[in-house]
Amino acid sequence: MHHVLCGLAANRSLPSELVDRLIEVADADIAVDLAQRADLSRAQAVALASRVEDSAVPLAYAGLLTSDDVDPATRPDVALALLAERAGRVEWTRAFAEDPVVERREKLAACPGLPPDVVRVLATDPDVRVVAELALRTSAETATGLAGHPDAEVRRAVAANEATPPAVLAALLTGEGLPPARLCPVCAREQIPFTHDPHCSRLDCDLPSGASCDGSHESSTHETQRMALGNPATPTEAAVGFADHPSVLLRWALSGRRDLPPEVCARLASDPNPGVRADLAENPAIDDAVVRVLAGDREHEVRRRLAHNPLVPLDVLTGLARATRIGATLLPRIARASADEVEELAASPDPAARLLVAQRRDLSSVVREALAADCDAKVAKSVAPHPGLPEGMLRAMLERHGAQVAARVAANPDATPALLETLARQKPSVRKALRAIAAHRNASVPALLACLADAQARPAAARHAALPPSVAEKLLTDADWRVVEAAAANPSLPRDVMSALIPRPRSRETA
């Protein structure tokens, strides 16, 4: 891999004419970075797709190629990518619907906005994979027609389609009103009764572990029900009957529904499976009584997920924060807290409550500065990256809590160059702080040079625009390929250096 050229391909300051030259010598690795350039023109995209065939599909998905640039006969993968983005031609869809390669028909079936005649052809495709792919995304009318398909795999896809009408989804849950399925992925290839060995050693076998069929297509029927229970278009009254189902996977699918009545939530709150209870805990459908039951759950993940519920009461949330590892994240209930609630939490004698609100980045100056002066290092650390904190408060925070807050202070967007230099010179150094400094927009040359001494911060420092061009140029021969690539992507590299790094195509050299 040419790390220098990959770095140049990602360099936002690379002039357009040098982009052209780089395209002429690009390989698959270089093309990945070139294809992601924000300034890549259509002409350059066409040239890159011609040079590196593998780049054409991502360029098509990015909207940098048009139907005029693609011949579907020679590049069907690119044409299908354009169709997936609604940028292809209608006549292509009719040709692909009859394509002898099943994978292409399957990709076509996933494309939006297909003409009705093409949909009808795909709905009767001899390969069930094509029909199932269509069923997963098609219109309500077509989904209704496919709900009674003889292959259970198609019915499973219909059950997952949110455009499927509610009455049809209810029928798929119970099987009532639909003709029995005649095939499933198991009996289509194995003699029944058959149960797939979880430790199957056949390399050509793609059946799910434990899949079985005794003639009733039980595995596929189970999957169809699971898809329907997870589909928000399925009627509530049809879904709630599965709250006591012996299958944990079906109860699990039910527990995340946002339309559950209180009595069903209460039953699921005592489910023996912690995964069911964890999904329920994050569900806004649960009422206060269920919230408080789940707050005392023995499983950590249940309590952690409850903390992420946007409707959890603040007193419950504070208790959860005190006894559960939630992580440094802004919880939904805290994000929607009123100004009065924010002030109440910030003034709480409980550090867990103050810690919760310190994650917000829209605090008033009074609340923000009170939390910055907090005697609890965790609270101060959480508020340290808040924009608007004066340099004096950030320095006071460092003096009070030292290395515990250094990395978060370095991440403050308003940290001054002088403060970042102070942090970079700290002894012993705080490696996380050095990484934050190396990526900081205000980092000065002395701070960046200090960061270069740390192996983990070195790549980010090598990419920083404030790094002197001469230093960036020296890093192009660094022993660490990550540093080399980052230095080549440094926008401060002089144009003549960039030009010298790109080899001329052999034909030009010979000429």
Side-chain angles (χ1 to χ4, degrees):
M1 182 185 293
H2 306 292
H3 298 297
V4 168
L5 298 184
C6 286
L8 282 177
N11 193 316
R12 67 175 186 269
S13 295
L14 191 69
S16 181
E17 56 269 28
L18 294 186
V19 173
D20 291 335
R21 278 181 49 195
L22 196 51
I23 289 172
E24 291 178 347
V25 298
D27 60 12
D29 294 316
I30 298 166
V32 169
D33 290 298
L34 284 170
Q36 296 175 15
R37 290 188 65 88
D39 61 352
L40 198 70
S41 68
R42 180 187 165 207
Q44 289 170 330
V46 172
L48 181 59
S50 176
R51 166 76 188 180
V52 182
E53 288 191 358
D54 288 348
S55 69
V57 169
L59 287 168
Y61 278 116
L64 290 169
L65 297 179
T66 71
S67 60
D68 292 334
D69 304 320
V70 178
D71 178 0
T74 58
R75 294 304 308 270
D77 54 340
V78 185
L80 285 164
L82 288 176
L83 287 171
E85 295 297 307
R86 295 180 179 265
R89 296 178 177 173
V90 173
E91 56 266 29
W92 295 354
T93 65
R94 298 188 174 97
F96 280 124
E98 305 289 351
D99 197 295
V101 179
V102 64
E103 288 79 12
R104 294 175 189 165
R105 303 198 307 274
E106 190 175 1
K107 286 184 179 180
L108 176 68
C111 293
L114 296 173
D117 60 313
V118 172
V119 171
R120 286 193 292 272
V121 170
L122 294 173
T124 57
D125 195 279
D127 194 296
V128 69
R129 291 173 293 176
V130 176
V131 186
E133 192 64 47
L134 178 72
L136 191 61
R137 297 172 173 82
T138 194
S139 66
E141 180 182 1
T142 303
T144 299
L146 292 175
H149 195 277
D151 198 300
E153 190 68 4
V154 175
R155 300 186 185 205
R156 183 198 64 79
V158 173
N161 187 339
E162 294 187 16
T164 301
V168 175
L169 290 167
L172 287 166
L173 266 180
T174 62
E176 296 177 6
L178 294 176
R182 297 200 297 270
L183 281 174
C184 72
V186 177
C187 64
R189 65 190 81 178
E190 304 288 349
Q191 284 290 113
I192 58 171
F194 179 85
T195 298
H196 188 224
D197 183 353
H199 306 293
C200 177
S201 60
R202 291 183 297 174
L203 298 178
D204 61 342
C205 182
D206 59 358
L207 284 174
S209 175
S212 63
C213 179
D214 60 4
S216 64
H217 320 298
E218 60 269 23
S219 290
S220 292
T221 299
H222 180 274
E223 275 299 287
T224 297
Q225 291 173 323
R226 189 171 71 87
M227 293 297 105
L229 288 171
N231 192 327
T234 299
T236 306
E237 58 273 16
V240 295
F242 287 78
D244 298 312
H245 197 279
S247 168
V248 64
L249 292 179
L250 297 187
R251 302 195 309 275
W252 204 332
L254 180 67
S255 66
R257 292 185 62 93
R258 301 298 190 256
D259 57 353
L260 296 179
E263 62 274 14
V264 174
C265 291
R267 290 216 300 278
L268 292 173
S270 60
D271 194 280
N273 185 276
V276 174
R277 303 196 306 274
D279 272 16
L280 180 71
E282 206 167 2
N283 191 337
I286 60 178
D287 61 17
D288 188 74
V290 171
V291 164
R292 296 182 187 278
V293 168
L294 293 172
D297 198 280
R298 64 185 181 276
E299 290 288 337
H300 171 270
E301 182 62 12
V302 174
R303 301 192 306 273
R304 190 191 69 80
R305 296 279 292 279
L306 181 63
H308 286 264
N309 190 310
L311 301 181
V312 62
L314 287 180
D315 66 310
V316 174
L317 185 54
T318 302
L320 290 168
R322 193 181 305 119
T324 307
R325 296 186 305 276
I326 296 173
T329 184
L330 177 60
L331 297 173
R333 178 62 181 90
I334 298 301
R336 59 185 290 269
S338 67
D340 288 344
E341 288 173 330
V342 167
E343 290 184 7
E344 181 181 346
L345 288 167
S348 172
D350 187 346
R354 304 197 301 275
L355 181 62
L356 288 172
V357 78
Q359 294 292 340
R360 282 184 58 147
R361 296 294 176 257
D362 59 349
L363 300 172
S364 69
S365 59
V366 173
V367 171
R368 178 184 64 215
E369 292 175 13
L371 293 171
D374 202 284
C375 60
D376 188 292
K378 290 183 178 179
V379 176
K381 177 181 176 180
S382 293
V383 82
H386 197 298
L389 281 172
E391 181 177 2
M393 296 210 73
L394 292 172
R395 287 186 180 275
M397 193 185 301
L398 274 173
E399 291 176 6
R400 187 179 303 112
H401 302 294
Q404 295 180 82
V405 300
R408 303 302 295 276
V409 168
N412 190 295
D414 298 326
T416 64
L419 176 56
L420 295 174
E421 287 179 29
T422 298
L423 283 163
R425 290 195 300 264
Q426 271 190 324
K427 298 297 179 185
S429 60
V430 180
R431 303 192 74 178
K432 287 185 178 180
L434 291 174
R435 293 201 296 272
I437 295 165
H440 201 291
R441 64 188 181 188
N442 293 337
S444 63
V445 172
L448 291 171
L449 293 177
C451 290
L452 286 174
D454 180 80
Q456 293 185 31
R458 192 173 174 84
R463 186 185 289 264
H464 201 291
L467 197 70
S470 59
V471 177
E473 189 175 350
K474 288 179 182 177
L475 293 172
L476 293 170
T477 58
D478 197 87
D480 187 336
W481 69 266
R482 298 172 304 163
V483 175
V484 172
E485 203 163 297
N490 193 309
S492 71
L493 273 182
R495 179 192 179 105
D496 60 332
V497 173
M498 293 182 185
S499 180
L501 292 171
I502 303 174
R504 298 279 182 178
R506 289 184 179 179
S507 58
R508 291 190 180 184
E509 290 175 356
T510 303

